[in-house]
Amino acid sequence: MKAGLTPDMPYELLSYALREKAFPRQATFDQWFDHAQFDAYRALGHHLGTKAAEVPLAHAARCGVRRRGSGHPSQR
């Protein structure tokens, strides 16, 4: 799987991508990131991780599955 850019990503991340055309697929032979590059990859990972965590929750909501411990005690 490869990371990609989508319009719902934070502004700072998209603006970095406009400045650095190879982002997010820059070569990995140079592991010494400058501050801006490090922040961009950190923000990308955070955004992708957050979106990935939302998928099971959205799926459960569509299927009518409630989280354990949710709801009124009389409904358990």
Side-chain angles (χ1 to χ4, degrees):
M1 179 171 18
K2 292 185 178 183
L5 301 173
T6 59
D8 67 329
M9 291 183 164
Y11 169 79
E12 294 81 9
L13 189 56
L14 295 175
S15 64
Y16 180 80
L18 288 174
R19 288 191 312 272
E20 300 293 332
K21 300 299 181 197
F23 180 79
R25 294 187 180 88
Q26 292 164 307
T28 57
F29 65 87
D30 179 8
Q31 294 294 309
W32 296 102
F33 290 179
D34 63 21
H35 187 74
Q37 188 179 19
F38 180 86
D39 283 348
Y41 277 102
R42 187 213 53 81
L44 178 62
H46 181 267
H47 179 77
L48 294 175
T50 300
K51 291 297 179 183
E54 292 173 357
V55 171
L57 297 175
H59 177 71
R62 280 194 311 274
C63 296
V65 176
R66 292 194 325 206
R67 291 175 44 193
R68 176 183 276 178
S70 65
H72 192 271
S74 65
Q75 297 173 344
R76 292 185 194 156

